[in-house]
Every structure is written in structure tokens, then in C-alpha cells.
Amino acid sequence: MAEQEEDFSSLPLPDRFQHKVWKVRKAGYEDAAQAFQATPDESDPAFKPFLQDPGLWKAAVADSNVAAQQEGIVALCAFLKFGGPQACTRTRNQTVTPLVEKGLSSTRAATKTNALEALLLYIELDTPAPIIEDLIPSLSNKQPKIVAATLAALTSIYHAYGCKTADPKPVLKALPKVFGHADKNVRAEAQNVTVELYRWLKEAFKPLLWNDLKPVQQQDLDALFEKVKQDHPPKQERLLRSQQAAAEAAQGEAADEIEAEVDEEEKAEALDIFDPVDAMGKVPKDLQERLASTKWKDRKEALDDLFVAVNVPRIQDNDYGEIVRSLAKCMKDANIAVVTVAANCVEVLAKGLRRGSGKYRSIIMSPMMERLKEKKQAVADALGAAMDAVFAWTSFSDCLEETLEFLKHKNPQVKLESVRFLIRSLRSTREVPSKAEIKLICDAATKLLTESSEVLRSAAAEVMGTLMKILGERAMGPYLEGLDDIRKTKIREYCETAQVRAKEKPKPASAAPVGSKASTTGAGAKKVVTKKAVAGLKKTAPSTAPPDEAASAPLQPKLTARNVPSKLTGPPKSGISAPSGGLKLQRKLAGPGGAAPPNISSPKRAPLQPPVSADDDGSAPAPKFGAPGRGLAGRPLGKPALAATTSEASVHTASTPSSTLSAAERAELEELRAARDHLQRTNEDLRSERSKLHSQIHELQHQNAQLIEDHTRDVLSIKAKETQLVRARSDAEAAEQMCHRLQREMDRLKRELGRSVRAGSPTSSPTGSGGGDGIYRDGSGSTILNGGSQGGSSFSANHGLPPTGAVQRPSFTSTLSEEKENVSDPDGPGYGGGLRAKMTSPPFSTTSTSSALSSGTVTDGGRRSPGSRRDGSRGRVESGGGTANVNANGDAGAGGGIESWKRAAEVTSQLKARIELMKARQGFAK
């Protein structure tokens, strides 16, 4: 086995890359990575086999064994890192797709990281465009994990190289389709890519993407954008090889200048990624006719169509004067909806035209500021945004005159919005206002400080505070005179919180007295010098040029004497030997003292030196040269020619100490700059921390408000439930009371029914005592009625009556009509108690009896007379003893008792049904 491994290691690397055993391939990848790292340069022979056969890398990054694949991608990274641009251009067509499909989607974290690093190296060695072009087709892959991995790689690419180096347009075109993917991981990665693009492009990329997204997705993205709005502007983290070479060549001051220019042109560069669009072709042809309509809805719809046409990142320059004049006319429209849409059109048109919108400023600015009188905040905000967009591509001086005119407007709302526009202009401009403009602004703001409205006074104080931030407190001092301390304090507070982009640059200190031209050239070698260096220059520079005034006469011999100290005590007569130099010097020194030599040579003229060098910090050493009595006065007269011939040498000598001091002070200046940068970074960190704390406070306040709202909602819900419970209890009590009342009614009806039933059982029989006419009793106790006989028990069972022997017979004097009425109507109300009362109480009546007998209904001996009749199935048998009901079978009174019990049962069941129905309605069903 050992010999076999030795044979494998002896194989060439290309053969080991294609070996069937994965361990051999893995070892080959590792050895290749080490070989690449050991190469001295890009032309090493180790790279040649892999440059000639790029397919080796395609098999390596897509190796079937995950362990070997990981090492293969590591070897590719080493090959790209040390192989140079040639390694990139020859292999990327073979490896990018396998890296995406097999590397980025791998389950191993190390494989994913190395695959992403390989893609970044491909971009670093050349340009991002070919790699992004190869990645875009993977966004349409059928496997969601590959699409998500591709989006994550694109996010890393834009995060590392930025949108200025990597063109975002291909990705922006593909994003709407990805946002509609069914997989949630793909949609989440699409959001990450969009947020990364927003960090670089801000609002500029929205027109290309926003209209293709759903409203819910737009809301989610807006929430994500809010989190990164407060972040610092992004910077390119990785540089291309070409950029690295340029950065190395531009180290020092050039690098600082490039960094300073980035912030100024960041917005324009972001917009440069979009191609100009010919918006004029999209403008409706009948725009003017629709804007002239008498219906405000038609005018608004026309402006909406115009907004859609011009709402693009960049607009191709064309003649938009007619459209701008129409928009200016719409500013006077009576309907505020039309005014708002017109302001939006002005905003997008100015942003699209950029610098081309400056020529339309005079047409649109005044109508917009005049319309600021609207009190509705939505209209004011739209007009303010439009004015800011117009101002962004014009100069501060162009807009200042109109702004100051509207600060004098009679409408307070116009004043207020104009002041706010002036504040925004001062914050965003990069131009420092001139002295005349500063005076105009301060005069207008001072007048506004006396307004009756507190909002106007605060806005005026903010104007002066912002201006103080630009110019400095010293320059604003004269304009603050006459103001009380309270207003000064408020102005300073606004100055501390103001954030401006333009700042007054301090002028470099003068290196020589006024009128000395050579001194400025001597000091012009360095623009920024410290106080000591300036002092050194002031001592030496006047020797290079003759003074223009008589007061500067003592200065020349002083500095010349310093350069040639041995000549200071020389005789004054030696100075006359050079008439040409002496005459020139006398012409410059004459002045008020005339040209007389005695006056010039007087030692009392030395005190005239301080007025000339009053601004010089090095005036204290002057007595060092002026102390000798006649040496200072004798120097110009002694050797004027020498002073003239050695002027260049004196300049060189003077520059030597100044350059020495400048070098020393330059180090101190660098330290101060470093300290300043440190303070600025600290300040930025504190500001970012403060903004984060503010955002956390706002979030907590929002959560608190949400909790309060939820608590209030819960309390109201509880109260509503309590109210419902009270009502349910009251309804239940009412139902219980009704149930008790119905129960009592039912009991009462049962008692009534019982009494009726008991009353319907008669206690006496209608038969006569002693066996009258037609009725007799036999020996067995049976009663014979109408010639028929029935047992006493049978008769009592059929009629519900006791046996005949136990019933007391009523008086024969009872009327047959009354007996007929009581006996034959069992359904009547008097069937029970009435029967008993009428059978016991009525007296005998001869008249009624005779009338009944005369009617022929009852015959003697109990026989039925021909006048007797049957009604239906029920027959009525009349006799001298009384009347009784009999059925068709001859049974008397049986039907009455049965029907009464049936009716009672029906009434009871109906009552029970009604009670159950009422209980069911109240929710108390058993």
C-alpha cells in the first residue's frame, strides 16, 4: 500500500486531478495549492498545465466527493490568487457555473466560503461584469437552494465592491421575478440583495423595481430601508487589481482628495448607472387640452399621466419649457389635489433632468413659493420637496433673491415655509455665501425675530444659527449686536445642532507686511504654516524686496545685518561708494523725513520699527539688532550695493530656518490633524449611537403605545363581557320567574282539573225513590229503566257514579228540563258542580212537570213514547224520573266522562309543551 501511495504522489498534478480514487484527487488538490503558494511570480511553470487545460478546474470544483471538492476549491483560490489575471480570464468560463451549482449550494460551510472567495477573486483580477453575467442565469434554476445561494453571492459582491464598480442594472431587471418565487428563502435573499443595493443607490433605484412589487413587499422593504438609512455611507471594501495599482500610485494627498470628492458626487454617480430616457415621447399628446379642462378630475388625471412619464431616474435633455409653464400655471389651481400632483411632477422632473433643470428655475420657483400659503401640510410638504429638488441642481445665489422677497410676504404661512426653505438651502449648499448675501440674510432674519408668531421667531433664529455654523461665531459677531441675550443663546443653540456642508475656510496668515510682494512669494511655498514659521518668514522676507513706505525703511538694514553681522559696526562713509544703490535706497527711504542723510543716520529713527512689524510675533528680538548706536543707521549707507547683490542669498538664508521650523511644525500639524480626525470619528460614533438610542426610544414608545392600546382594548372587551353577563343573568332571572309563574299556573290548572273531575262524579242518582212511574227496583238491587235492566255496578262504572243503592234520590219535583240540561251536556261548565246543585236543591214545580209531561216525551211505566228521539249516535231517553244520556249501545253517560278526561290530558300536554318551548328559548332546556 505504501508503494502504491508513492506511485500516486509521483504522478503529475494534472493526472492526479483526473484520478479515479478520490483520495488521490484530494491529495493532488492539496499539493497543487502548496505549489501555487511557493511560486515566485505569475509566469512560473507550475501554472502552465492548468492554463492550457482549464477543464481540470471544472472537474475539481464539481468533484463528486465533498471532501475532495472542498480541497479543489481551495486549490482554485490559490491558483487565482497567485496566478494573476491570466488565470482568471482563461478559467472563469469553465468554473463559475459549477461553483454556483456545487459550491455555493454545498452543505459544508467551508465549501461555501471558499466558493464565494473564488468568485470574489475572479472579480478582483478583472471586472465584475462577466461574473455577474454568468450568475444571472442561475436565478432561473429549478432548485430553490441554488437560486438562494446565487442571490447571497450577489449580495456579497455588491457589499464588497459597491454599485460603482459592479453594475446593478442586470440584477435589478431580474429581481421582480425572484420576488415572485414560491420559496420563502429565495424571497428573503432577494430582500437582502435589495437592501444592499439601497445602501449604495438610496431612492434612485426604486423606479426600476418598485412598480413590479406587491404592496406587501413594498411595505416590508420600506421597513428594512428604515434600518439602514441612519448608517454611514458605504465604502468599497475590496479593490480590483487595477484599483489597487491606482491607489498605490495615488497615496498621500491624492488619496485624500479622492475621498473628499466621493461624498460630493455620490448622488450623481448613483444616478449615472441609469441610461437617460426620452420622457418627451411618453408625455400625453393632449396634455394641454386636458389641463385646460373645467373639471378638476380631468386636470388631475392629466398630471398623473405626466408624472408616470417623467418619473424615471434620468431624463434625456430636451425642451420642457412648455410643460414647466403648464405646471407653473397649475400651482394657481383652486383644487389642492391638482397642486399636489403638479408639485410631484416638478420634483421628479428636476431630479431626472438634474443640471438641465436649472434653466427652468425662474419659471417655476416663484409660483411654488406663492402657493405655500396652503395650510394643509400635505400640500406644503409636496411643494417643499419640489423646491428642494430644483435647488439641488442650482446655486444658492440664484435662489436667494426670490427667497428673501417671500420672507417679506404678508401671509404668515408663506413667510414660515420660505424661512424653512432658506434653512434647508443653507444646510445643503456647498457654497459659502458672500458678505453681501450674509448681510441680506441677517437683516431679513433680524426682522423676523420681532414677529408675533413664535414659530417664525424660532425659524429666524435657526437661520442665523445655521449661518453661524458656516461662518463661525466671530464672523457673525457684528450681526448679533443689538440682540438680547435670550435670542443670542437660542441662536447659539441652533448653531450647535446645525449640520451644514459648506464651511468657511480660514485664510492663510500673511507672511509679510502689506506691500511686500517678495515676502508673499517666499511664503507661498507652503499654504499652511504655523505661528512660529510665519514669524520666521516675517523676519527674513522683507530683505528680498524694497519697502514701499518710509516706515519700512528700518526693516531692511535689520534683516540684512542679521545675514552679515560683521558689517553692522562699519563706518557709515563706506555706504556712499555705490551711488546707484544708494540713490535707489534713498528714493525709497525719503518719505516724511526728506532725503537728508543726517536724518536717516540718526539713531532715534530706530523706534519706527514696531509700527511696521506690529503684526509680527517676532518683534521682541528687534533691539538685538537696533541696540548699537550707529550700526543700524549706517548699514544702508555703508554697503547698499552689497545689499542689492546679496538679496537672493538672503532669501535662501531666510528660507532655511523657515523650512526647518515648517518641518517641525508640520509634524505638530499632522498630530493636530490626527487628533481632529479622531475627534471627528468619535463625534460620528456618538452621533450614530445617539441616533440608535433615538430609534430605540421611538421603538419603545411605539411598543408602549401598542401595549396601552392593547390594554385599553382588553379592558373594553372585559367590560363588554361583563355587560353581556349582567344582561344574561337578568334574562335568566326573568326566565326563572316566568318558569315559576308558569309552574304555579300549571299547578293551579291541575288543581282546577282535579276539582272538575271530582265535581263530575255525581253523589246522587236521578232515579226516584220507592220506584215511581217507569222506574222500579227489583229484589237484587238492580234498577230497571225503560224496560231494560242494568246492574248497579255496571251503571256506576259506565257513568262514573256510585251504585244506585248508595245514592239518595232527589225529590220528584225536579224539573225535567233542568235535569235534561245538566245531564245531557257533559261538556258544559256546569257538568260537575251544577249537576249536584240542581239535583239536590231545586224544588218541585207542578207547572214545569206538567209542561214536560204534556210535551209527550216521557210516558208512564218507563216506556218510550213515540215522541222520544236519538241525536246521532247518542239517544236521549226521557222518563218520569228524569233524563240521562245513553250511547248507541244503550250505555248512559259513558261518553261524557271519557271526553272530559281526554280534553284534560290534551290541555295538560299543551301546557307542558309551552313551558318546554319557553325554557328552550331562554337557554334553559333540560
Side-chain angles (χ1 to χ4, degrees), residues 774-795:
I775 298 175
Y776 62 92
R777 185 185 301 272
D778 60 1
S780 62
S782 300
T783 303
I784 299 173
L785 179 62
N786 294 333
S789 65
Q790 289 181 346
S793 60
S794 175
F795 182 81

Side-chain angles (χ1 to χ4, degrees), residues 916-925:
E916 294 297 330
L917 181 61
M918 294 181 69
K919 286 183 178 181
R921 288 178 181 177
Q922 297 296 332
F924 292 96

Side-chain angles (χ1 to χ4, degrees), residues 67 69-70 72 150 225 235 272 293 459 662 732 810:
Q69 180 194 13
Q70 179 177 338
T150 306
F225 292 163
K235 294 183 180 180
D272 284 338
S293 175
S662 299

